Amino acid sequence: MRKMLLTAVAAVSTMVASAQTGYVIKGQIGKLGKPAKAFLLINMEGKQVLDSAVLVNGAFTFRGSVPSPMEATLRLKHDATPEVPGKRIKVDGLAILLGNENITVTGKDSISKATIIGSTLTDESRKVDNFLRPIYAKYKVLEKEYSDAPEAKKQDNSFVQELEKRAKLVEKEIFDAKINYVKQNPDKYMAVMALNSTLAPGFDAIEMEKVFLSIKPDLRETYLGKLAAARIAAFKKTQEGVEAADFSQPDVEGKMVKLSDYRGKYVLIDFWASWCAPCRRENPNLVKAYEQYRAKGFEILGVSLDKAADKAKWIKAIADDKLTWKQAGDMKGWENEAAVKYDVTAIPMNYLIDPSGKIIAKYLRGAELDAKLKQLFEGK
């Protein structure tokens, strides 16, 4: 995950990338010849485009063009041994950010260890990686602390919750670093990539739209810019203050339940699944909150992202976790129609709806949920 996030924020100014109409990649890997073959795989606007070139005395060339900077991978296959589906092999490859530039790749015997000259996008990518790496390393510290803990301690909710709390601080540090870069470099393509990588579940769509609109217009019109704009627009539909979209789902007995049935009460829509460990760890907090505030007008509507094949596990989890509120789900997994409507891409995820049907908070867990309910029902 860390590697993906690091790659997601890497790029530079489009001024260099758009200075010519196409890219030329010239490689020289020792004196390798047939059957050695080079491959260029480009993630071209959501589709994978593959090109290949045979090495002649170590040399190969790729030519083409991209409408805006794209993530790509250079790979070298050293021999003609066929690849066996499902069998892991050692890949000699190198991830790059490809723009319309003249790029030179030089290596003694491999691409993974090669030197790249002329790819300003990749150069900047590595600078950003180096900048963020110490922050991401803090996650490794937390992972090691958990893995080194005795098994009994791993089952201790207070221990796990403390690690999650510290992980959230690291998450915020990463978020702040990326947003600060966007604000300081609105004329660089990297700003688009940095912002796009921060659009995680629970982001503030209204604030992020302001940040997005500060980026140069031509950069906002790139493929990744349009993706970011679409995600922000979709997320605004579930922003605090807007009316919650109604939906209906069958409960465990097949009877339909509608969100609008809860008008007049505060209701927490809780998206979860029996297989989701963080969801299961959060369930005791929900049980406590429900018992404390149900009589005052608080309800919970659980929406399962389990699949039909796991319905028995879902029902068992409800019983095991002592979830006494209404549970519903269309048994379509991540394609659950309510989850799609509410742009749920990770769980646990929840939305707190007021008696008039408006969203007033989301992604409330543990102490945050307790504080919000105390404010609503006790005025504290």
Side-chain angles (χ1 to χ4, degrees):
M1 185 170 100
R2 171 175 161 269
K3 183 178 180 182
M4 178 184 70
L5 286 170
L6 286 173
T7 302
V9 300
V12 291
S13 171
T14 54
M15 290 179 65
V16 176
S18 61
Q20 59 187 65
T21 58
Y23 62 80
V24 178
I25 303 175
K26 291 188 176 182
Q28 183 70 51
I29 308 298
K31 299 297 181 181
L32 293 177
K34 291 182 179 180
K37 199 170 186 180
F39 296 88
L40 175 64
L41 179 64
I42 307 173
N43 293 322
M44 185 80 77
E45 299 189 342
K47 298 180 181 179
Q48 292 192 330
V49 177
L50 181 65
D51 196 359
S52 63
V54 174
L55 273 70
V56 179
N57 200 26
F60 64 87
T61 301
F62 290 109
R63 299 177 187 274
S65 65
V66 287
S68 63
M70 299 286 164
E71 293 182 17
T73 302
L74 278 170
R75 181 181 170 189
L76 180 62
K77 195 169 187 299
H78 291 252
D79 54 44
T81 304
E83 295 182 8
V84 180
K87 183 179 179 180
R88 293 180 65 88
I89 60 172
K90 185 176 181 180
V91 175
D92 180 15
L94 181 67
I96 64 172
L97 280 164
L98 182 62
N100 294 318
E101 305 176 289
N102 294 322
I103 302 170
T104 301
V105 181
T106 307
K108 182 178 180 181
D109 54 15
S110 72
I111 280 185
S112 61
K113 299 178 182 178
T115 299
I116 300 179
I117 298 174
S119 178
T120 56
L121 293 164
T122 302
D123 289 344
E124 185 68 12
S125 167
R126 291 174 175 173
K127 289 179 183 178
V128 175
D129 285 357
N130 291 335
F131 169 69
L132 290 176
R133 190 170 287 110
I135 309 178
Y136 279 104
K138 296 179 182 181
Y139 279 132
K140 289 292 184 183
V141 174
L142 297 177
E143 290 171 4
K144 188 175 189 307
E145 189 171 336
Y146 178 79
S147 63
D148 290 349
E151 195 59 37
K153 194 170 185 179
K154 291 179 181 178
Q155 304 305 317
D156 182 352
N157 279 342
S158 61
F159 171 67
V160 174
Q161 288 172 0
E162 176 60 25
L163 290 181
E164 290 181 345
K165 181 179 179 181
R166 289 160 59 190
K168 276 189 168 295
L169 293 176
V170 178
E171 181 182 328
K172 185 178 186 306
E173 187 176 354
I174 293 169
F175 176 86
D176 290 344
K178 293 176 180 179
I179 294 302
N180 285 338
Y181 182 86
V182 175
K183 291 179 178 179
Q184 294 169 14
N185 299 274
D187 59 340
K188 293 186 177 181
Y189 182 74
M190 178 181 172
V192 180
M193 301 194 79
L195 180 133
N196 197 66
S197 70
T198 65
L199 304 183
F203 77 90
D204 187 328
I206 293 176
E207 286 303 313
M208 295 305 285
E209 183 176 51
K210 294 176 183 176
V211 177
F212 178 71
L213 292 176
S214 72
I215 297 173
K216 281 185 62 179
D218 61 322
L219 298 179
R220 301 201 303 265
E221 288 300 313
T222 61
Y223 173 69
L224 192 58
K226 291 178 179 178
L227 286 183
R231 179 146 174 76
I232 290 171
F235 216 72
K236 279 181 68 177
K237 295 178 181 178
T238 58
Q239 187 70 38
E240 295 173 21
V242 304
E243 184 171 345
D246 197 13
F247 63 85
S248 60
Q249 301 257 299
D251 65 12
V252 294
E253 297 175 347
K255 298 178 181 178
M256 298 304 292
V257 182
K258 294 179 66 177
L259 174 62
S260 54
D261 293 340
Y262 290 84
R263 283 291 176 92
K265 295 185 176 181
Y266 287 97
V267 57
L268 186 76
I269 309 172
D270 177 42
F271 292 96
W272 73 294
S274 64
W275 46 261
C276 170
C279 303
R280 303 295 295 276
R281 288 198 297 269
E282 182 63 18
N283 278 343
N285 295 325
L286 295 180
V287 170
K288 179 182 176 182
Y290 191 59
E291 291 175 348
Q292 186 172 358
Y293 294 106
R294 180 185 183 186
K296 297 182 178 181
F298 175 60
E299 283 292 342
I300 301 176
L301 173 58
V303 179
S304 170
L305 268 64
D306 286 282
K307 292 185 176 181
D310 297 322
K311 184 173 182 178
K313 294 179 181 178
W314 172 44
I315 294 174
K316 183 177 185 300
I318 294 171
D320 289 348
D321 293 0
K322 298 179 174 57
L323 310 182
T324 58
W325 52 86
K326 184 68 70 174
Q327 296 287 339
D330 58 16
M331 301 289 97
K332 296 180 181 179
W334 286 105
E335 299 305 314
N336 178 288
E337 292 180 10
V340 172
K341 185 175 290 188
Y342 278 77
D343 195 37
V344 176
T345 58
I347 52 177
M349 184 63 191
N350 58 44
Y351 293 88
L352 183 60
I353 315 300
D354 74 5
S356 71
K358 290 185 178 180
I359 298 172
I360 59 172
K362 55 186 176 181
Y363 201 59
L364 295 171
R365 295 174 64 183
E368 293 177 347
L369 176 61
D370 293 340
K372 186 64 177 180
L373 294 178
K374 181 175 287 188
Q375 176 191 33
L376 291 174
F377 294 106
E378 299 178 17
K380 299 181 181 178

